Amino acid sequence: MPIDTYQDLVERVSAWLVRGDLKAQVPDFIQLAEAGMSRDLRIREQELTIDGTFIVGQDYLDLPLDCLWPRHVRILSSPVTTLEVLSPDQFSKRSDQEQTGAALNPAYAMVQGDRILLGRAPSAATAYKLFYHAGL
């Protein structure tokens, strides 16, 4: 018997459990299973890109709502460069060592929550491409 709808899935899981007292919890079980699979699976269909343009003076990029983890950011300048993604400790050390200069584009970044923090705010509205893993 194929599982074509969510209700079919709930009924099949309920039947598999053979526990009438857990029928109300089946949607929770399904949600927990989906969360676990989304966290553990990495398939090609999850690898997405989004194009954007840096906002002058803004030292972060908002991640897409479906982003599980960013892979990298390619800056579409001439020459094309890729942001170096650092750990929070490396980011802090490098920020402390960096001197302000006339650089147009950030050279490094770190992930913090739903954002990518840039090592320096861009001084030009340069295009970028964000490569990331999306949720299922």
Side-chain angles (χ1 to χ4, degrees):
M1 169 194 259
I3 300 173
D4 295 323
T5 66
Y6 180 76
Q7 188 57 41
D8 290 344
L9 177 62
V10 170
E11 290 172 10
R12 292 289 294 275
V13 171
S14 296
W16 181 81
L17 285 174
V18 193
R19 297 255 325 249
D21 61 324
L22 291 177
K23 188 167 185 159
Q25 283 75 36
V26 168
D28 294 337
F29 298 155
I30 293 170
Q31 189 175 22
L32 289 169
E34 288 174 342
M37 287 183 271
S38 181
R39 183 178 51 250
D40 297 337
L41 288 176
R42 294 293 175 262
I43 56 176
R44 283 191 307 253
E45 287 81 2
Q46 289 178 273
E47 294 180 7
L48 300 177
T49 61
I50 189 168
D51 295 317
T53 303
F54 288 121
I55 297 173
V56 175
Q58 181 175 296
D59 65 349
Y60 65 89
L61 300 175
D62 287 317
L63 292 170
L65 295 176
D66 64 342
C67 180
L68 289 179
W69 191 255
R71 291 180 50 210
H72 65 276
V73 178
R74 186 169 293 146
I75 301 173
L76 306 176
S77 58
S78 183
V80 173
T81 58
T82 300
L83 282 179
E84 180 183 2
V85 179
L86 305 175
S87 70
D89 188 48
Q90 293 169 320
F91 184 89
S92 293
K93 287 178 184 175
R94 188 142 168 205
S95 295
D96 291 344
Q97 296 169 352
E98 187 170 282
Q99 299 175 9
T100 57
L104 296 177
N105 295 318
Y108 59 96
M110 76 171 222
V111 178
Q112 183 179 55
D114 293 336
R115 291 184 168 167
I116 295 178
L117 299 182
L118 305 172
R120 72 173 73 91
S123 57
T126 306
Y128 67 84
K129 184 178 288 276
L130 170 63
F131 295 77
Y132 69 99
H133 288 284
L136 294 174

